[in-house]
């Protein structure tokens, strides 16, 4: 029986967003995606992190001050900052200090990559589907 060659994602020009279901991930891609899934995968904290991510992503103007995020939760500012730090380390958001406040915004490339990895080959991404 002939051996089949495995195609490793990221080593060919077969498309802009190769999917997990089209070919195996290489080690670097798996490590990168694992960080994102880890940040979102903690079942105890998932609700909080998804809410923070949603509040940042949906904000008019594309960014939000931490001072506007904290009052939405019954948690201390350091706790909110910790979860924002984990989302930032996962590459989902970024921030900038302006005076005493920190402003956050979504990094759409990571979100798009995550969506692309989970899209079945030959199927449009969820954002391309009609309701």
């Amino acid at each position: 029986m002939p051996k089949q060659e495995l195609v490793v994602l990221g080593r060919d020009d077969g498309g802009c967003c190769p999917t997990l279901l089209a070919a195996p991930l290489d080690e670097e891609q798996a490590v990168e995606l694992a960080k994102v899934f880890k940040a979102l995968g903690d079942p105890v904290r998932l609700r909080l992190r998804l809410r923070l991510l949603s509040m940042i992503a949906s904000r008019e103007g594309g960014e939000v001050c931490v001072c506007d995020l904290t009052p939405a939760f019954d948690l201390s500012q350091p706790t909110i900052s910790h979860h924002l730090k984990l989302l930032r380390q996962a590459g989902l958001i970024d921030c900038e200090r302006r005076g005493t406040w920190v402003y956050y915004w979504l990094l759409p490339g990571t979100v798009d990559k995550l969506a692309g990895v989970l899209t079945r080959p030959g199927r449009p991404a969820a954002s391309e589907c009609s309701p």
Side-chain angles (χ1 to χ4, degrees):
M1 180 179 279
K3 293 184 179 179
Q4 292 183 339
E5 186 176 307
L6 292 176
V7 177
V8 178
L9 295 178
R11 295 194 182 156
D12 66 84
D13 295 326
C16 68
C17 302
T19 73
L20 179 69
L21 304 174
L25 296 171
D26 66 23
E27 181 64 20
E28 184 179 326
Q29 290 170 314
V31 167
E32 185 179 326
L33 286 170
K35 289 178 188 175
V36 177
F37 280 114
K38 182 179 179 184
L40 295 176
D42 179 351
V44 175
R45 306 292 184 227
L46 180 59
R47 263 193 342 243
L48 170 63
R49 293 179 189 160
L50 285 176
R51 284 189 61 208
L52 283 167
L53 195 59
S54 175
M55 290 172 72
I56 294 166
S58 64
R59 185 65 165 222
E60 189 173 327
E63 64 182 31
V64 62
C65 178
V66 69
C67 64
D68 294 324
L69 294 171
T70 305
F73 301 93
D74 189 25
L75 299 167
S76 69
Q77 186 276 326
T79 299
I80 298 297
S81 291
H82 170 73
H83 290 283
L84 290 167
K85 175 185 167 187
L86 294 175
L87 291 172
R88 196 177 32 144
Q89 288 174 339
L92 291 162
I93 61 174
D94 204 356
C95 67
E96 175 182 76
R97 178 172 293 283
R98 298 180 197 155
T100 59
W101 298 112
V102 178
Y103 289 79
Y104 292 87
W105 58 87
L106 182 73
L107 292 175
T110 304
V111 176
D112 292 346
K113 189 181 298 184
L114 188 59
V117 164
L118 298 174
T119 301
R120 288 186 293 157
R123 304 271 308 185
S127 62
E128 299 171 8
C129 295
S130 50

